[in-house]
Amino acid sequence: MRAGKLLKVNPRTLAQQLVDTDVLEDVSSNVAIAGPGFINVSLDNDFLSSSLGSEPLVAPTNKPLRIVVDYSSPNVAKQMHVGHLRSTVIGDSISRMLTLAGHTVVRQNHIGDWGTAFGKIVAYIDDLKSDQEINSGLEDLEQLYIAASQRFDRDSSFASKAREAVLKLQSHDPRTMDIWQKFIDVSLRHLEDIYGKLDILLTPADIKGESSFNDDLPAVIERLETNGLLVESDGAQCVFINGFVRKDGSRLPMIVQKSDGGYLYHTTDLATLLYRTRELEADQVLYFTDARQILHFQMLFAVAKKAKFAEEATELEHHAFGSILNANGEPLKTRSGENPRLSDLIEQAEIHARNVVEEKSQHLDVEQRSEIAHHVAIGAIKYADLSKNRTSDYKFDLNTMMSLEGNTSPYLQYAHARISAIFARGGINGEEIELDRIRVKHPAEHDLAVRLLRFQEVLEQSITERKAHHMCNYLYDLTVHFTRFYEKCPVLNTESKERDSRLGLCARTAENLRVGLGCLGISVPKRM
RNA sequence: GCGCCCGUAGCUCAACUGGAUAGAGCAUCGGCCUUCUAAGCCGGCGGUUAAAGGUUCGAGUCCUUUCGGGCGUGCCA
């Protein structure tokens, strides 16, 4: 109908003309025109069978790009908390999908490891007497930061020491840098621990934090100066860009250097962008941060293009999302009003999952149950986030995501476990099943086969829109149809040709689930 | 004040970017385990898509206004 509009032809007439040609002959013998010009195509079972036997799950892109994906990027003054979850989970999933499609992904973890907060921390650690105390003091980042902040507030001599420490950091004073490095090392171990538990791909090699760009900041100012973009206003160095105005006509500034000479995150982000386009040679740079930074990125991209921090052809995208709320729609906080730690959230989810597994999977031993609980918990947390399209806030409710019914990760994982169980019972190696023996016959097989062939299309849509929820919805739909097939079509207890065909459908479903959930960073247990 | 995002079943969310009778899950009510895992399957109930107007063959989707919520709006990130 869109074609009809474009060609200014009656859509029904156009549909008829299309049907009259034989382009659909190999695909369907049952084509009908309906309504204002829809073409209903019922795919033939023969077409489905041969496609499943010959088409790969994923065909790599014919236009591979170098794509920088900026995600997670926590401030490491404190432990990772709930505010870091979405960026981490969403960014990781998108980068997995891009890789699967054949792009070169350069993950970048732009951690907050520089600035005033670290002055406090360094000064505080500096006050701890021995190295022994330093090491023990570093064990809990959270407490260290809180202690440093409290002391900063009530001890004025400590406060001035902290401010000195900031200056010493900026001038790379060896003793100060040494303490700072110790703290960063502990922070990075903490990050690795969390990423390990959550099965996030980020490694130490992907970390390129704010501190790495500290020395490049004066050059950023210079570059803006030579481009004639730098304007002093109330003592601060600013860039004013067309289009960013207030109601009264006054222009919104992007402040790149404070009146006291200090730099801001705009400045750091410009330096970072230069690195990503020049050194990393990015065709695209994708940022995954919460929605509060929308204006920042709009200005950043505008200035970057104008002052050539990024080439005109480099695609810069900010993908925003809302914050995480509790079941009552309020910001998720602990009883004491803090952001819940990620490690606590994960632990809660695992306890919740373990209780369910204890009840449902008594046929498995303790070790297996514990491992399954882990995969279920992590899957549930990630899936609850990824399956929603919302750019606004979303509710984090363990009871909902762990209900293990309906559109949740455990439902999908369970379907995969059932397929594995069929293979195990039949003494069959699932990886050796030949898909060219698939002969689609039963209506339930037909419906399943149609879904099995859609994987590529869904992957492309998810990548184009940078939205994982299309993949989630697809996998759920696939699983619903697999389960119907499972109910209606015995696999092992049927005659041999049909058995081979149905084993093929099972094997292909298992692959779609494994690879699809893999795109989401969710693993598939063989047993549940 | 101004800007951005959002408002779909009691609740949590979809709807292929303007297409058919707006779909799922949860909750609720009823049915299905002597056959591969019942963490399952089948069915019922549930809607003036916040409201009003407009654009056209056609609007949850686009435009205007109103109401309601979230976030941002010069030296934090």
Side-chain angles (χ1 to χ4, degrees):
Chain A
M1 279 179 295
R2 193 171 307 161
K5 199 167 210 167
L6 237 63
L7 300 169
K8 293 182 178 160
V9 181
N10 182 319
R12 266 197 86 97
T13 314
L14 189 67
Q16 190 58 55
Q17 285 172 351
L18 190 70
V19 171
D20 286 344
T21 71
D22 54 4
V23 288
L24 294 171
E25 201 175 338
D26 296 338
V27 173
S28 173
S29 55
N30 181 12
V31 180
I33 298 172
F38 296 100
I39 304 173
N40 290 332
V41 179
S42 306
L43 299 172
D44 287 345
N45 284 338
D46 286 348
F47 169 75
L48 294 172
S49 303
S50 65
S51 296
L52 285 170
S54 59
E55 300 275 323
L57 185 65
V58 179
T61 175
N62 53 21
K63 200 191 164 212
L65 300 170
R66 280 181 71 83
I67 305 177
V68 169
V69 184
D70 178 322
Y71 69 102
S72 195
S73 306
N75 186 317
V76 296
K78 298 204 276 183
Q79 286 205 23
M80 282 189 84
H81 58 78
V82 64
H84 304 122
L85 183 61
R86 301 202 75 183
S87 172
T88 305
V89 169
I90 295 170
D92 202 55
S93 172
I94 298 298
S95 75
R96 284 172 194 260
M97 288 199 244
L98 290 168
T99 304
L100 180 64
H103 297 289
T104 302
V105 174
V106 185
R107 282 172 258 278
Q108 290 286 280
N109 193 0
H110 193 246
I111 61 171
D113 57 359
W114 203 246
T116 47
F118 294 90
K120 296 182 201 175
I121 289 164
V122 166
Y124 187 81
I125 296 173
D126 197 22
D127 258 21
L128 295 171
K129 301 252 163 30
S130 64
D131 280 359
Q132 178 65 32
E133 276 183 73
I134 290 178
N135 289 331
S136 63
L138 284 171
E139 269 166 25
D140 194 324
L141 305 173
E142 196 82 58
Q143 292 203 342
L144 188 78
Y145 179 75
I146 291 169
S149 295
Q150 284 175 348
R151 187 150 174 206
F152 183 87
D153 290 338
R154 60 157 195 267
D155 181 345
S156 61
S157 73
F158 175 77
S160 58
K161 218 179 150 185
R163 276 188 281 268
E164 276 170 38
V166 177
L167 295 175
K168 283 184 181 172
L169 263 179
Q170 279 166 359
S171 60
H172 296 270
D173 166 67
R175 163 76 182 158
T176 309
M177 288 301 284
D178 187 50
I179 297 170
W180 173 82
Q181 189 62 52
K182 266 196 174 108
F183 178 80
I184 294 301
D185 289 345
V186 178
S187 300
L188 298 194
R189 281 205 293 279
H190 166 68
L191 287 191
E192 273 194 83
D193 178 47
I194 296 287
Y195 292 149
K197 279 180 182 156
L198 275 176
D199 194 8
I200 296 297
L201 296 173
L202 290 167
T203 69
D206 302 321
I207 291 175
K208 191 83 177 164
E210 289 173 357
S211 64
S212 349
F213 300 100
N214 184 52
D215 296 342
D216 305 333
L217 301 182
V220 170
I221 304 296
E222 258 176 60
R223 191 183 185 86
L224 292 168
E225 175 88 71
T226 47
N227 279 274
L229 293 171
L230 208 61
V231 176
E232 192 183 315
S233 171
D234 291 342
Q237 299 298 326
C238 304
V239 179
F240 292 94
I241 318 142
N242 292 334
F244 295 93
V245 288
R246 300 191 192 85
K247 173 69 186 304
D248 60 10
S250 66
R251 295 195 292 172
L252 222 50
M254 181 168 116
I255 300 177
V256 290
Q257 191 169 21
K258 298 193 281 185
S259 46
D260 69 1
Y263 303 102
L264 291 119
Y265 69 133
H266 297 115
T267 330
T268 313
D269 278 358
L270 282 170
T272 306
L273 201 41
L274 199 60
Y275 166 76
R276 288 173 181 177
T277 46
R278 294 290 161 80
E279 305 291 322
L280 300 179
E281 299 180 321
D283 298 309
Q284 300 181 335
V285 185
L286 316 184
Y287 295 84
F288 293 89
T289 82
D290 67 82
R292 286 175 298 192
Q293 299 191 36
I294 286 176
L295 183 60
H296 162 63
F297 280 107
Q298 285 176 345
M299 294 173 110
L300 179 74
F301 295 165
V303 172
K305 292 285 176 171
K306 206 156 187 172
K308 293 275 187 291
F309 284 89
E311 301 304 319
E312 201 54 50
T314 312
E315 293 176 47
L316 307 176
E317 302 174 10
H318 174 225
H319 297 283
F321 42 80
S323 39
I324 297 183
L325 309 177
N326 66 20
N328 295 325
E330 300 148 346
L332 198 62
K333 299 282 178 188
T334 60
R335 279 180 296 277
S336 55
E338 296 288 313
N339 286 320
R341 297 168 173 189
L342 232 35
S343 54
D344 291 340
L345 229 48
I346 293 167
E347 198 184 322
Q348 280 172 32
E350 293 204 340
I351 290 170
H352 197 119
R354 199 166 297 133
N355 289 338
V356 180
V357 174
E358 292 301 324
E359 182 195 337
K360 302 281 185 185
S361 300
Q362 290 169 359
H363 55 291
L364 302 177
D365 65 42
V366 177
E367 200 169 312
Q368 287 172 322
R369 289 197 292 231
S370 160
E371 195 185 327
I372 289 160
H374 172 73
H375 289 303
V376 165
I378 299 305
I381 291 176
K382 287 184 171 180
Y383 194 86
D385 198 323
L386 294 171
S387 61
K388 289 172 187 61
N389 179 28
R390 293 319 166 108
T391 51
S392 48
D393 302 339
Y394 106 96
K395 290 183 183 173
F396 186 94
D397 183 2
L398 274 180
N399 287 321
T400 304
M401 68 178 76
M402 291 281 187
S403 76
L404 312 192
E405 285 167 5
N407 190 4
T408 62
S409 147
Y411 175 79
L412 308 185
Q413 291 171 316
Y414 179 62
H416 185 272
R418 288 170 109 180
I419 297 173
S420 299
I422 292 176
F423 295 158
R425 185 168 288 259
I428 297 154
N429 182 344
E431 285 163 25
E432 288 173 3
I433 292 172
E434 292 173 23
L435 301 188
D436 58 7
R437 293 194 184 166
I438 293 174
R439 296 288 178 270
V440 175
K441 275 162 67 182
H442 193 281
E445 296 176 331
H446 176 95
D447 291 346
L448 174 60
V450 169
R451 267 88 190 171
L452 287 172
L453 289 169
R454 285 198 57 217
F455 189 89
Q456 175 84 33
E457 172 195 347
V458 174
L459 179 67
E460 283 169 9
Q461 192 191 359
S462 290
I463 285 175
T464 305
E465 297 183 22
R466 317 328 191 167
K467 284 176 178 174
H469 82 286
H470 288 117
M471 181 58 76
C472 295
N473 289 346
Y474 162 75
L475 291 173
Y476 178 65
D477 183 53
L478 170 70
T479 303
V480 165
H481 285 91
F482 170 77
T483 318
R484 286 178 189 165
F485 157 81
Y486 180 91
E487 297 278 333
K488 286 174 184 153
C489 303
V491 176
L492 296 175
N493 305 321
T494 186
E495 58 90 13
S496 94
K497 275 180 80 174
E498 190 165 72
R499 185 174 185 267
D500 286 346
S501 171
R502 289 179 175 173
L503 280 170
L505 287 168
C506 287
R508 178 60 194 254
T509 304
E511 190 189 5
N512 283 37
L513 283 174
R514 184 176 53 75
V515 177
L517 284 169
C519 286
L520 309 174
I522 297 171
S523 51
V524 282
K526 280 210 159 42
R527 308 175 67 179
M528 275 178 81

